[in-house]
Amino acid sequence: MASAAEQATTARSVRVTLWILLIVYIFNFVDRQIVNILAEPIARELQLSDTQIGLMTGLAFALFYTVLGIPIARLADRPTTSRPKVIAIALATWSAMTALCGLAQNFFQLLLARIGVGVGEAGCTPPAHSLISDSVPPEKRSSALAFYSLGIPIGTLLGMVIGGILADMVGWRHAFLIVGLPGVLMALVVWFVLRDPRHVHAQAAMKASSHPPAMPMKDALKTVMGSPAFVLLLTAGSAASFLSYGKTTWTTIFFQRTHEMSPGEVGFWFGVINGVAGILGTWLGGYLADRFGSKNRRHVLSAPAIGMALAVPLAFLAYQAQTWQLALALLFIPTLFNSLYYGPTYSSAQGLVPVRARAIAAATMLFFQNLIGLGLGPLFFGMLSDWIQPTYGAESVRYVLYGAAFLGLVPAYFFWRCSLRLHGELDQKD
């Protein structure tokens, strides 16, 4: 039985870990999402089509991000690997590549720099999820991972607001440079401050030989994909990600084209509305999952299923609004509802597999979410906009977003189907 002093030290260590990882994830999404608010001025200068915008903001990043995520997760699952050092190297890499985006002289160079950002960011979330899951008990996992996931809306908010302001003040090139370089310094903090719970105790007791051997890749993937609940969760999360990334990219462009707002105006107003709603939704999703899921594990995913269904008509009304003020106001609630899934989804992914396969589970989830969501969402909506542009002109993006709103019923359905299996499968392998 641990003493009160030891418990206090452990709790303090967990808080430090969570706060540092949150800051890293904020950097992650600032660097990932800033390209969305800068897409329109980039497109004007480099003369890009909507399809090329979708390729630059989505697939170029996501392809390498997803492919490299699995081997990096495999590395993170090894008992001898320092997960904080993996995260620090990844942070330094993607931050430097973000800065290089500002030096691109043509579409191909920008594409290569975005690929570099994806290569770096592949080393962040799988080891971070594994690190958090090893640091907190199962009954607090949804809240802990929801706290980490706050990096998504906070980073998106800061990326849009800072990126939009910088785009108006100093141009898109300097915007990339200014937001990219601080991450290199933050990587030093991660390297020297963050500790892996596998290594903080007495080294004699924590030698790699005392751990069970790393699960072979084939066995790990077979275990992960052998869970029916995990497959349903994977489908729901991928569909939600597809719509989230696609809508975020093209909603920023929608406000610039349809409502004739500047990048700075969109970055601030949409960034704040989207960010605050996302922060509240992410926190609320984790809270509801732990509160009601502790009594019946199926309720870990009840809020995402219900929330995404309710968001559909409200999102449609927002895109139909004739003023940008009304459109932003109407987007607040559906954005909150659509953000409920982050913590419950990632905590369920960790709870459906053995400890030795947790980073692989996170990487598998991220592989599909980002390849389908980040990779194909912005690209698909961009191609669709180009396809219907001869008919709808500048309003083509509005009609694309109408369809995106109704597609929210797809992840809602699969979250509900997955919830029916959670009580029998979740946390059975802890």
Side-chain angles (χ1 to χ4, degrees):
M1 188 79 175
S3 67
E6 291 173 332
Q7 290 177 348
T9 300
T10 300
R12 185 165 56 251
S13 176
V14 170
R15 286 196 297 272
V16 170
T17 297
L18 288 175
W19 275 103
I20 290 177
L21 290 177
L22 171 62
I23 294 170
V24 170
Y25 209 31
I26 290 171
F27 273 89
N28 184 296
F29 265 79
V30 167
D31 290 357
R32 184 185 306 190
Q33 295 292 348
I34 190 173
V35 71
N36 291 325
I37 194 63
L38 300 178
E40 191 69 359
I42 291 172
R44 286 197 296 266
E45 179 176 330
L46 301 183
Q47 298 182 333
L48 307 182
S49 68
D50 284 355
T51 300
Q52 286 177 309
I53 293 175
L55 184 61
M56 173 190 67
T57 58
L59 189 60
F61 172 96
L63 188 60
F64 285 83
Y65 178 94
T66 54
V67 169
L68 290 175
I70 296 292
I72 291 175
R74 177 67 174 157
L75 175 66
D77 275 334
R78 292 179 181 173
T80 54
T81 297
S82 171
R83 290 170 289 190
K85 286 182 171 53
V86 172
I87 295 169
I89 294 170
L91 172 56
T93 301
W94 87 63
S95 298
M97 297 307 296
T98 296
L100 285 178
C101 287
L103 304 178
Q105 298 301 310
N106 54 53
F107 176 66
F108 181 70
Q109 291 177 3
L110 185 59
L111 206 62
L112 289 179
R114 285 291 295 168
I115 288 172
V117 177
V119 169
E121 292 198 10
C124 178
T125 294
H129 279 190
S130 176
L131 194 63
I132 293 170
S133 296
D134 282 357
S135 302
V136 300
E139 64 271 15
K140 295 183 178 180
R141 192 177 292 147
S142 289
S143 295
L145 286 169
F147 181 81
Y148 171 74
S149 296
L150 286 172
I152 299 173
I154 295 174
T156 300
L157 185 159
L158 293 176
M160 288 189 177
V161 172
I162 296 172
I165 292 173
L166 290 175
D168 283 356
M169 291 179 59
V170 297
W172 64 269
R173 295 184 180 279
H174 287 90
F176 276 123
L177 291 168
I178 292 170
V179 302
L181 294 178
V184 178
L185 298 177
M186 184 63 196
L188 296 175
V189 175
V190 176
W191 184 280
F192 290 108
V193 176
L194 206 58
R195 295 290 179 264
D196 195 315
R198 293 190 297 215
H199 303 149
V200 296
H201 302 297
Q203 289 299 311
M206 296 294 292
K207 289 180 180 177
S209 59
S210 67
H211 289 268
M215 185 178 291
M217 173 71 81
K218 181 179 179 181
D219 293 344
L221 290 173
K222 183 178 180 181
T223 299
V224 168
M225 299 306 292
S227 165
F230 188 91
V231 173
L232 288 168
L233 185 70
L234 191 64
T235 305
S238 299
S241 180
F242 176 85
L243 296 175
S244 176
Y245 282 116
K247 286 189 292 185
T248 298
T249 297
W250 290 100
T251 299
T252 61
I253 295 173
F254 163 73
F255 279 112
Q256 292 175 67
R257 290 186 186 175
T258 299
H259 294 290
E260 299 181 342
M261 299 172 70
S262 73
E265 291 172 328
V266 176
F268 180 80
W269 291 109
F270 178 59
V272 169
I273 292 295
N274 191 65
V276 172
I279 291 168
L280 291 175
T282 300
W283 172 81
L284 185 61
Y287 171 79
L288 293 174
D290 281 346
R291 173 75 182 274
F292 296 102
S294 62
K295 300 173 183 177
N296 186 327
R297 300 304 276 159
R298 66 171 291 184
H299 291 313
V300 169
L301 291 176
S302 292
I306 296 170
M308 288 195 168
L310 294 176
V312 170
L314 292 172
F316 180 83
L317 290 174
Y319 297 128
Q320 197 175 40
Q322 296 305 305
T323 66
W324 66 265
Q325 294 92 339
L326 180 58
L328 282 172
L330 289 172
L331 275 176
F332 185 86
I333 296 300
T335 300
L336 188 153
F337 284 161
N338 286 330
S339 301
L340 294 172
Y341 84 99
Y342 293 120
T345 297
Y346 295 136
S347 69
S348 296
Q350 296 290 289
L352 289 168
V353 300
V355 172
R356 291 184 294 150
R358 279 178 174 166
I360 288 293
T364 302
M365 179 68 66
L366 289 166
F367 178 90
F368 284 95
Q369 277 195 301
N370 287 287
L371 185 61
I372 294 173
L374 180 55
L376 301 181
L379 178 60
F380 174 78
F381 292 149
M383 293 173 66
L384 188 58
S385 176
D386 276 340
W387 183 54
I388 66 174
Q389 204 166 61
T391 302
Y392 296 102
E395 289 286 273
S396 63
V397 174
R398 187 200 294 267
Y399 283 89
V400 167
L401 291 173
Y402 285 159
F406 282 115
L407 286 175
L409 293 173
V410 175
Y413 170 76
F414 282 103
F415 276 124
W416 170 72
R417 285 290 308 276
C418 181
S419 72
L420 302 180
R421 291 183 171 271
L422 286 188
H423 197 66
E425 289 193 46
L426 197 61
D427 301 328
Q428 300 301 308
K429 302 177 179 67
D430 274 329

